[in-house]
């Protein structure tokens, strides 16, 4: 997936998709919609309630807004700093950061990626921000820090329903969200289809 | 507002609405929609990003999914334990808790309250859970604890746009979300209309 861009993919239940952080510091906003009914989607607020955790860890199963399992965080070779608290960046965010004119953003990437796949537009749910490092201080303040992941580290997601996965290589280049160099980069997506499908 | 029930109200910009925790331990799920376009709503994930805080505090301004101010937490006589992490309870939640048959829930209260006001249904956004006590441990685990608020304590919300406010007196009676007695109770809502409107 190119730097600053999004991608939507139909993935059958049982498949494993790996998101490989080639350069190490790239945040990947991640969404999953039920392929049969896009009103059902991976939900951060339902997942936090289900796991009793702010951030899912390796082995955890994430749920939809109907509290059904949609995917598991089966592999994670990174230190495990991911984010569930922060909205996808959008044009309003960059306007507030003082950008004049258009700036690529994860919300528009979500919409464009779905359109490319021929899927009717839905508002972007709160994303699972893979590799995004947003520590919570004891006083409840959160900070936007450079990712802890290193080049080549990856996350593997196992699908529990037929889903439309949407990814956005976050184009944030005004804050160290994507590393101190503030240089958005590409990431690699690899899909291992479920045996059922491959047969 | 009766125990276990919801209520939706149109409130003009500038108004102050007080949510009074008569019995002290009642959680109030709270939503706010732009009265002119209900696709714009109070958003927990955008508010956390805007405030760099998990939980808004007295004086903080909360924003919509278009990152515009919609209301401020102008008054808070409680110890300030509120929640932005946890989804509204819904029928799926009570099914998973083993309830057989229908159980009142905040998601249905949201929908019913909007219907009563004649507003077209929208999916419930992540709520602002007033008085809900969900501490985050240093390891990122969250716990559902009894509220820290006491009888008569209140929150006052100042509106920054014409809004539809929706409240639900959470009917959770299987976990100590609404106090160790697990007895949902009524809360009092008081609206002080803005001077502009009252004139």
């Amino acid at each position: 997936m190119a730097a600053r861009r999004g991608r939507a993919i139909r993935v059958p239940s049982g498949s494993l998709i790996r998101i490989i952080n080639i350069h190490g510091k790239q945040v990947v906003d991640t969404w999953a919609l039920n392929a049969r009914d896009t009103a059902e989607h991976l939900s951060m607020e339902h997942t936090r309630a289900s796991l009793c955790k702010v951030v899912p860890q390796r082995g955890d199963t994430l749920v939809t807004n109907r509290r059904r399992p949609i995917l598991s965080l089966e592999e994670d070779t990174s230190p495990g700093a991911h984010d569930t608290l922060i909205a996808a960046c959008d044009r309003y965010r960059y306007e507030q950061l003082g950008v004049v004119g258009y700036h690529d953003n994860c919300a528009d990437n979500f919409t464009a990626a779905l359109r490319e796949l021929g899927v009717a537009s839905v508002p972007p749910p709160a994303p699972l921000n893979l590799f995004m490092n947003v520590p919570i201080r004891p006083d409840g303040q959160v900070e936007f820090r450079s990712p802890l992941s290193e080049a080549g580290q990856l996350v593997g997601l196992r699908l529990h329903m037929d889903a439309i996965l949407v990814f956005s290589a976050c184009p944030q280049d005004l804050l160290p969200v994507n590393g101190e160099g503030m240089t958005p980069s590409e990431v690699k997506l690899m899909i291992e289809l479920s045996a059922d499908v491959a047969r």
Side-chain angles (χ1 to χ4, degrees), chain A residues 82-94:
Chain A
H82 308 292
D83 169 70
T84 72
L85 298 177
I86 302 299
C89 63
D90 50 31
R91 66 187 187 88
Y92 314 105
R93 174 71 163 155
Y94 291 105

Side-chain angles (χ1 to χ4, degrees), chain A residues 120-136:
Chain A
S121 178
V122 293
L128 171 63
N129 295 311
L130 293 175
F131 309 111
M132 188 170 178
N133 183 19
V134 182
I136 303 173

Side-chain angles (χ1 to χ4, degrees), chain A residues 6 10 14 16 19 30 40 42 60 69 77 93 95 98 105 114 119-120 124 139 147-148 150 152 157 171 180 189 198:
Chain A
R10 288 183 189 274
L16 179 73
I19 301 96
T30 300
E40 181 174 15
L42 172 63
D60 284 338
T77 68
R93 174 71 163 155
E95 280 168 16
N105 62 79
L114 284 182
V119 177
D139 65 358
L148 300 180
E150 299 295 342
L157 305 175
E180 296 297 339
L189 302 173

Side-chain angles (χ1 to χ4, degrees), chain A residues 43-110:
Chain A
S43 166
M44 293 304 101
E45 58 263 31
H46 293 81
T47 293
R48 286 187 296 258
S50 170
L51 297 175
C52 290
K53 289 180 189 175
V54 176
V55 179
Q57 294 170 296
R58 192 156 57 89
D60 284 338
T61 295
L62 289 72
V63 301
T64 70
N65 52 333
R66 291 175 199 156
R67 302 189 194 253
R68 298 197 305 152
I70 184 164
L71 55 85
S72 293
L73 192 59
E74 189 167 294
E75 302 176 339
D76 189 357
T77 68
S78 84
H82 308 292
D83 169 70
T84 72
L85 298 177
I86 302 299
C89 63
D90 50 31
R91 66 187 187 88
Y92 314 105
R93 174 71 163 155
Y94 291 105
E95 280 168 16
Q96 289 178 353
L97 288 170
V99 172
V100 177
Y102 188 74
H103 192 289
D104 294 319
N105 62 79
C106 289
D108 284 356
N109 283 349
F110 172 87

Side-chain angles (χ1 to χ4, degrees), chain A residues 21-34:
Chain A
N21 210 330
I22 304 174
H23 299 279
K25 303 298 176 192
Q26 180 59 48
V27 165
V28 182
D29 283 37
T30 300
W31 297 267
L33 314 175
N34 175 349

Side-chain angles (χ1 to χ4, degrees), chain A residues 112-160:
Chain A
L114 284 182
R115 191 188 309 125
E116 209 168 306
L117 204 64
V119 177
S121 178
V122 293
L128 171 63
N129 295 311
L130 293 175
F131 309 111
M132 188 170 178
N133 183 19
V134 182
I136 303 173
R137 299 195 325 206
D139 65 358
Q141 297 256 1
V142 298
E143 296 178 85
F144 293 75
R145 291 226 196 121
S146 178
L148 300 180
S149 41
E150 299 295 342
Q153 293 183 343
L154 64 85
V155 162
L157 305 175
R158 176 75 66 181
L159 272 289
H160 298 305

